[in-house]
Amino acid sequence: MGLADDMRQHVVDTFFGPEPPEGIRRLFAPDRAFQAALLFEHWQFLQGFPRWVGSIIAGTPHLDVVQYEVDNLYGELIHDATAEHGHYALVLDAGVEAGLSREEILRGPPGPKMARAIDDWYAIARERPWVEAMAAVHGTEMLADQRLKERPGYRYPYQMGDESFLRGSGYSPKGRQFLATTRADTEHAGRAAALVERYAVDAATRAAVMETFRRSMRDMGLYFEALVERADAWRGRFPP
Ligand SMILES: [Fe+2]
């Protein structure tokens, strides 16, 4: 297997295997508190994402990597053809629809575990070589990769962006729209993984990439724990 498939398999084994983390289970069966928690915490995560991408751009000598990163950020932040604006605006709108105020989403702060994960992604972006940071940062998009379904051990009959899942999911209309935009992450994560594979040419670099990628997936584990903690804390505010 190549590096990209190794990464996808690690994501399947960690998050979509026989015993997925609680946060993944609830993502696929969300109550109102979980929906609000997801949008609130995801917004906090999104504040870091373009800055981590900036460090990849600053570190790489390769124009195709810079082109990819600009293209990715344009869809996320400015405009996606499948949405009215970029994905960011949609997350705020969906958060308001879920019962939060725009102000409280913007104000934050992230829950303690999300804060730890975000700090670590900043550390990776600052301290690790760009090719490792690229695997780590875009690994966060790989959780929505449609290609995970083709890997051995993937336990769900659908992915989070699939219409067949979203229709009966219990997500509100804008929440569904937000999750539908994660379909773009198949391309985002796939192109990033292909570029990492192209430029991680020797065995030592490939091993370092996988190590930093696994570190980022431990941070994703914290991300999902933060969702569960926030949803549990908000159960009284958003009764089922
Ligand atoms: Fe993306």
Side-chain angles (χ1 to χ4, degrees):
M1 279 200 314
L3 202 47
D5 279 336
D6 284 349
M7 289 190 266
R8 285 189 197 98
Q9 193 61 49
H10 181 69
V11 172
V12 167
D13 295 344
T14 308
F15 297 102
F16 300 99
E19 285 185 41
E22 179 69 16
I24 292 282
R25 268 200 291 267
R26 292 216 216 165
L27 181 77
F28 284 108
D31 57 15
R32 289 178 61 226
F34 187 87
Q35 292 188 43
L38 168 66
L39 294 158
F40 180 91
E41 294 291 347
H42 192 63
W43 179 261
Q44 314 309 317
F45 163 85
L46 288 178
Q47 303 315 294
F49 187 84
R51 300 177 174 120
W52 309 327
V53 166
S55 85
I56 300 166
I57 293 175
T60 188
H62 303 293
L63 194 61
D64 54 357
V65 171
V66 177
Q67 281 168 331
Y68 160 76
E69 297 295 1
V70 170
D71 192 31
N72 180 319
L73 285 188
Y74 187 78
E76 298 290 357
L77 281 158
I78 313 294
H79 181 76
D80 174 339
T82 69
E84 219 174 315
H85 307 286
H87 299 172
Y88 275 51
L90 194 50
V91 173
L92 277 181
D93 289 348
V96 170
E97 194 179 68
L100 302 166
S101 75
R102 197 168 292 265
E103 293 68 35
E104 72 177 309
I105 302 171
L106 293 173
R107 190 184 329 122
K113 285 185 174 165
M114 184 65 78
R116 258 171 63 201
I118 289 170
D119 283 352
D120 196 53
W121 280 311
Y122 272 110
I124 290 171
R126 261 194 322 270
E127 293 157 16
R128 303 309 306 166
W130 71 267
V131 71
E132 289 178 39
M134 189 172 193
V137 170
H138 298 293
T140 65
E141 299 177 287
M142 200 175 254
L143 273 78
D145 190 333
Q146 297 284 337
R147 268 170 284 194
L148 297 186
K149 290 187 286 195
E150 297 152 19
R151 303 240 44 100
Y154 186 86
R155 66 163 277 164
Y156 291 98
Y158 37 62
Q159 237 308 10
M160 62 181 90
D162 287 355
E163 206 45 55
S164 59
F165 160 64
L166 289 173
R167 218 176 302 123
S169 65
Y171 280 101
S172 71
K174 286 202 159 73
R176 288 202 296 272
Q177 232 184 315
F178 156 60
L179 282 166
T181 64
T182 67
R183 284 178 216 148
D185 289 330
T186 301
E187 198 210 339
H188 288 172
R191 282 174 68 196
L195 286 162
V196 166
E197 202 169 83
R198 176 179 307 162
Y199 293 115
V201 284
D202 57 90
T205 307
R206 283 197 296 273
V209 161
M210 275 314 289
E211 195 180 316
T212 304
F213 181 79
R214 283 192 292 265
R215 174 176 165 187
S216 174
M217 292 304 104
R218 286 194 294 277
D219 294 331
M220 274 316 293
L222 288 171
Y223 171 111
F224 281 100
E225 287 175 29
L227 299 189
V228 170
E229 288 183 359
R230 171 82 57 191
D232 287 347
W234 279 352
R235 183 146 304 156
R237 182 177 171 189
F238 299 100

